[in-house]
Amino acid sequence: MNIYCWILFISLIAWILFLMGIELPNFSTSWEGHYEYKNYFLFLYNKGDDNSIFPRFSSVFLEPGHLAMITSFILWVKYKDLSRFQLIILISSIVFSFSLAGYILCVFLLFFYLLLNIRLSLLIILFSIGGIIGVALDYVKIENSVFDQYILGRLQISDSRGIAGNNRTSEDFDFYYDRLSGTNTILYGVGLDLYKREFQGGNAGYKVFIVQYGYIGLILTFLFYFLYMLRHKSRLLLILFFLYGLSFFQRAYPFWEAWLIPYICSMGFYNKK
């Protein structure tokens, strides 16, 4: 945990120096031909941010959303043992990632943290105040501000996707998914290799997982996480289980070590006296 926080801390310092215009050593690189980066050794800069209003912080991860997702998991797994320094670093990393999904996961965690530690009436008051502040920010928002573009703008209602931030899949993929849903193939999926031949990236979320592994794969994966939670009968693990479920809708990576290790090891931290 200390190592992870120090990596983020050093990465944040280097990123701030970069924002100040200080020239840092770097080289250009790419990942599977989809993403182009400048590797500053202590953090990655996505060249797609060249024309953005403000570069999002992703540390050593490929996407800011990856950073926010993993950090949210760690926040709940280790929240009993976090020092003030660690808490500030973890939350700052999520804030500067400007990841809508990360913000939603943090609000989810905050709700349950307050629910477990304070009275329900005070919790309702705090979230009511937060709701009022959110509405006020939306009302007085500055057009083209960082918060407006990355967060508030993505919460706007869209006729086609519900909210504008629900953009994890392309129209071509949505059509492919709908067509596949009418066949038996949706039960067991098309497999990872065929999916990669059909799509060269740019899609994520539960629909992608279903296309790759089918409903049978989805059920088996659910059972793995659910039965582990059921075996230990922990209230904290139950909340972590729902946190993973919430994250699954946008980033369905249940076999990634960054998902498995925090989930499986969580009981070791929750059972500490």
Side-chain angles (χ1 to χ4, degrees), residues 31-47:
W31 182 77
E32 292 191 353
H34 304 315
Y35 300 97
E36 298 290 333
Y37 296 96
K38 285 185 178 179
N39 187 341
Y40 285 88
F41 300 97
L42 298 176
F43 68 93
L44 291 173
Y45 171 77
N46 191 325
K47 292 183 179 180

Side-chain angles (χ1 to χ4, degrees), residues 1-12 85-86 89:
M1 184 62 205
N2 284 329
I3 294 176
Y4 183 73
C5 286
W6 277 108
I7 289 174
L8 292 183
F9 175 70
I10 295 172
S11 186
L12 272 169
F85 168 77
Q86 291 173 332
I89 294 303

Side-chain angles (χ1 to χ4, degrees), residues 4 61 65-75 105 256 258-259 262:
Y4 183 73
F61 297 96
H66 291 169
L67 165 67
M69 175 188 67
I70 294 168
T71 304
S72 297
F73 294 165
I74 293 174
L75 272 173
L105 293 179
W256 190 13
W259 279 52

Side-chain angles (χ1 to χ4, degrees), residues 32-203:
E32 292 191 353
H34 304 315
Y35 300 97
E36 298 290 333
Y37 296 96
K38 285 185 178 179
N39 187 341
Y40 285 88
F41 300 97
L42 298 176
F43 68 93
L44 291 173
Y45 171 77
N46 191 325
K47 292 183 179 180
D49 282 344
D50 284 345
N51 297 319
S52 65
I53 189 173
F54 190 81
R56 299 165 63 190
F57 177 64
S58 61
S59 185
V60 295
F61 297 96
L62 291 177
E63 297 181 20
H66 291 169
L67 165 67
M69 175 188 67
I70 294 168
T71 304
S72 297
F73 294 165
I74 293 174
L75 272 173
W76 189 250
V77 170
K78 292 283 290 179
Y79 88 92
K80 287 184 174 182
D81 306 316
L82 291 174
S83 66
R84 181 175 298 179
F85 168 77
Q86 291 173 332
L87 188 61
I88 290 173
I89 294 303
L90 293 176
I91 292 178
S92 297
S93 297
I94 294 175
V95 168
F96 290 119
S97 74
F98 291 103
S99 166
L100 176 59
Y103 284 23
I104 291 173
L105 293 179
C106 280
V107 170
F108 176 87
L109 292 180
L110 178 62
F111 173 83
F112 281 101
Y113 174 79
L114 295 176
L115 185 62
L116 293 175
N117 291 279
I118 66 174
R119 291 183 302 175
L120 181 60
S121 58
L122 181 57
L123 176 65
I124 294 173
I125 293 173
L126 288 174
F127 270 85
S128 297
I129 294 173
I132 293 172
I133 293 174
V135 172
L137 284 173
D138 185 55
Y139 181 75
V140 300
K141 66 183 180 182
I142 302 174
E143 293 296 332
N144 297 321
S145 67
V146 176
F147 196 68
D148 176 33
Q149 177 174 319
Y150 289 136
I151 305 299
L152 296 179
R154 299 183 66 200
L155 289 173
Q156 301 302 311
I157 301 299
S158 168
D159 293 335
S160 59
R161 294 184 175 270
I163 63 171
N166 183 24
N167 59 350
R168 302 299 295 171
T169 55
S170 65
E171 291 185 3
D172 289 341
F173 177 84
D174 288 337
F175 176 79
Y176 183 85
Y177 175 84
D178 292 339
R179 183 163 55 87
L180 200 68
S181 297
T183 68
N184 291 332
T185 305
I186 198 67
L187 293 176
Y188 47 84
V190 301
L192 191 58
D193 292 337
L194 179 58
Y195 170 78
K196 286 184 175 180
R197 288 199 297 269
E198 292 284 345
F199 299 96
Q200 300 301 314
N203 298 294

